[in-house]
Amino acid sequence: MWYDWGSEVVNPVGCGDCHDPESMDLRVPRQFLANALEREGDPIEDASDQRMRSLVCAQCHAEYYLTGKAKRSFYPGIWDIALKI
């Protein structure tokens, strides 16, 4: 099992990836998801509590790409198109 590896198991995901460190409210700090939702006309600031429960997972568990020399993350245009079908 994975736990047999003990200290060799490294998990870069922490509480702060989904929770505000002050209030513990759900949050989406990955800007590429917020940008994609804004393009869709569904800003993250308007998300219901239930939708935020999905979005905190979607910020990592969705297909995205790295672009340019800075390797910035973004959801591709096809994602925008697919949401409108």
Side-chain angles (χ1 to χ4, degrees):
M1 300 297 283
W2 64 267
Y3 51 79
D4 291 333
W5 293 93
S7 63
E8 293 184 35
V9 175
V10 177
N11 186 355
V13 177
C15 301
D17 290 296
C18 300
H19 296 277
D20 180 279
E22 298 290 322
S23 67
M24 294 307 291
D25 291 339
L26 291 176
R27 70 178 188 151
V28 177
R30 290 174 174 74
Q31 194 59 45
F32 58 89
L33 177 57
N35 292 344
L37 292 170
E38 185 72 35
R39 288 193 314 268
E40 185 185 324
D42 185 15
I44 204 161
E45 295 81 19
D46 295 343
S48 68
D49 290 343
Q50 183 59 40
R51 178 138 165 113
M52 280 300 288
R53 290 182 187 111
S54 296
L55 293 176
V56 295
C57 298
Q59 66 183 337
C60 295
H61 294 278
E63 185 174 342
Y64 57 88
Y65 295 86
L66 302 175
T67 184
K69 289 183 181 184
K71 301 295 184 201
R72 295 187 64 203
S73 302
F74 76 102
Y75 282 108
I78 193 70
W79 191 74
D80 296 321
I81 294 167
L83 287 170
K84 293 180 175 123
I85 295 176

